[in-house]
Amino acid sequence: MTDMTGKKAIVIGGTSGIGAAVADALTARGAEVVRASRSTGVNASDGAALAAWIARQGLIDHLVFTAGSQAPGGPIESLDLDAAHAAFDTKFWGSIRAAQAAAPNLRPGGTITFTSGFLARRTVPGTFAKTAMNAALEASAKILAKELAPIRVNVVSPGLTATEAYAGMDADARKQMLDGAASRLPAGRVAQPQDVAAGHLFAIETPSVTGAVIDIDGGALIN
């Protein structure tokens, strides 16, 4: 475990789910972690406010963005394009806005880690919005890894993850969904938030990793 005492990290989306698991892991390593989300008054889709908030944090070592996992689904002919636009604005443009604002304040050895999703590279009808914004984020991260070097920029791409996003489901239905998904995955299990957080930590702690997409999907992409 890398000792991050004296390091400062911002985790946008850090109050729940994968983001909370990343923030907890960084805190356990001794880092000062600032957790941000709508619940703390940070709106990733408000570019000016986000940039101003990041600037107020001063010098940092790591930026992690996990916010904006939700997007409307359904066939393109009936897709709510306004809702899709809003989702894209939060996850894709929010990630890019955060990177643009944080880059000047990153200390040497600093990193930026985004969060996409396996639908970026798997064709599933009815997932246009999620596929588009995740694919755009993965492609853009590679450009940023070159433009912002030596800052390292990476993406973690999770599959289905057992977070509180499904807490609203009936408990039996939730268990049936997760168990069914696990039975179809080569890994035989659905990821927990801590599994995905381990990917973020790998990106942060491994000095030679940049421009990478780290898949933590239980083998969904090879199914």
Side-chain angles (χ1 to χ4, degrees):
M1 183 185 293
T2 302
D3 183 2
M4 293 189 180
T5 302
K7 304 294 185 181
K8 182 176 181 178
I10 292 174
V11 182
I12 299 177
T15 59
S16 64
I18 293 167
V22 175
D24 288 346
L26 290 171
T27 299
R29 282 159 168 74
E32 175 190 354
V33 180
V34 182
R35 304 174 190 238
S37 68
R38 287 180 184 269
S39 68
T40 69
V42 178
N43 183 354
S45 64
D46 185 336
L50 179 64
W53 179 84
I54 289 174
R56 289 197 297 273
Q57 306 312 309
L59 295 176
I60 63 172
D61 299 280
H62 307 292
L63 170 71
V64 177
F65 195 102
T66 68
S69 61
Q70 300 301 312
I76 190 65
E77 60 264 26
S78 60
L79 182 64
D80 183 339
L81 293 181
D82 289 335
H85 184 281
F88 206 101
D89 201 42
T90 297
K91 184 166 188 175
F92 175 74
W93 285 114
S95 296
I96 302 306
R97 289 184 185 105
Q100 184 184 57
N105 294 331
L106 280 165
R107 296 187 181 102
T111 69
I112 297 171
T113 311
F114 300 131
T115 311
S116 61
F118 81 109
L119 290 173
R121 282 164 288 133
R122 182 165 183 178
T123 303
V124 179
T127 65
F128 174 84
K130 279 196 172 184
T131 293
M133 65 188 187
N134 286 327
L137 191 55
E138 291 183 4
S140 298
K142 294 180 180 296
I143 300 296
L144 296 186
K146 294 201 73 172
E147 289 191 355
L148 298 179
I151 294 170
R152 295 188 296 106
V153 183
N154 295 290
V155 185
V156 175
S157 178
L160 179 64
T161 306
T163 70
E164 57 265 49
Y166 304 103
M169 294 178 65
D170 173 80
D172 289 339
R174 181 178 186 272
K175 184 177 187 304
Q176 184 176 4
M177 178 195 72
L178 295 175
D179 289 349
S183 70
R184 296 187 293 272
L185 289 170
R189 69 190 300 273
V190 169
Q192 299 297 311
Q194 294 78 11
D195 300 331
V196 183
H200 290 80
L201 291 173
F202 172 77
I204 290 169
E205 295 177 337
T206 310
S208 59
V209 174
T210 193
V213 178
I214 300 164
D215 294 315
I216 303 181
D217 59 11
L221 286 174
I222 62 172
N223 242 2

